[in-house]
Amino acid sequence: MQDLDKALADIVAIRTQIARDTAFRGLGSATLAATGVIALATAAGQALWLGDLATRPGLFFGLWIAAALVASALVGFETLRRTRQLHSGLADAMVLSAIEVFLPSAGAGACLGLVIARFAPDSLWLLPGLWQVLVGLGLFASARILPRAVQGVGAWYLLAGLMVIAIAAETRTLSPWTMGLPFVIGQMTLALIVQRTGGADADR
């Protein structure tokens, strides 16, 4: 019985290692482009209809969190579909490997938002830039499973986040465009890279 348990554990370990070393093709270019469109629509809607966002940070971040949840749901659904189609028997291990890569950045972003909102609400203007920096770090961490060119998008998010913090430091106010434009450019570029490296959404 112990030999059987050891053999099963070895099989799981081998499958996990293969999943970590295999290029992840679960991201679809059209879905990634759609997340850029969501960011653009959110920024434009806030700029046109919400007026002075400095007095309503809750509404500002609430809309962006809602947009992020919608985008995440789209990407998650498409990732599961494509992974089961393209990676077959390794699908579950591949998805878990991808989650392991992105979860630390996502978790850090959520914790930063909660802590700043609770203990330093006057510093909420820092969040858009900090979130962009964390997205960049998440993309750098994904280098082992995504195309190498994705690191360029990670560098974009990192530099954009630092630039947004520098710009916002002058007024310490929230802007839909300093939040939205980096994500529009980043997600559209990411979609183009994925499309060129075999992540088109056509069935294979």
Side-chain angles (χ1 to χ4, degrees), residues 46-143:
Q46 289 185 334
L48 289 172
W49 293 304
L50 294 188
D52 184 11
L53 292 167
T55 61
R56 293 187 281 180
L59 184 57
F60 176 84
F61 288 110
L63 289 173
W64 279 110
I65 291 170
L69 290 175
V70 171
S72 297
L74 285 175
V75 172
F77 176 80
E78 180 67 358
T79 297
L80 287 174
R81 184 189 72 81
R82 286 178 58 87
T83 303
R84 295 190 185 284
Q85 179 184 353
L86 299 173
H87 295 293
S88 58
L90 287 174
D92 291 342
M94 294 292 290
V95 170
L96 286 175
S97 180
I99 290 173
E100 286 177 358
V101 169
F102 290 106
L103 189 59
S105 293
C111 291
L112 266 176
L114 291 173
V115 170
I116 291 178
R118 174 66 179 84
F119 298 104
D122 291 340
S123 299
L124 282 172
W125 59 273
L126 285 166
L127 268 184
L130 292 175
W131 280 345
Q132 290 160 29
V133 168
L134 288 172
V135 171
L137 294 176
L139 288 173
F140 279 124
S142 73

Side-chain angles (χ1 to χ4, degrees), residues 4 11 18 36 49-50 112-113 116 130 155 160 162 181-182 201:
L4 177 60
I11 290 172
I18 292 173
W49 293 304
L50 294 188
L112 266 176
I116 291 178
L130 292 175
L162 295 175
L181 280 181
D201 287 285

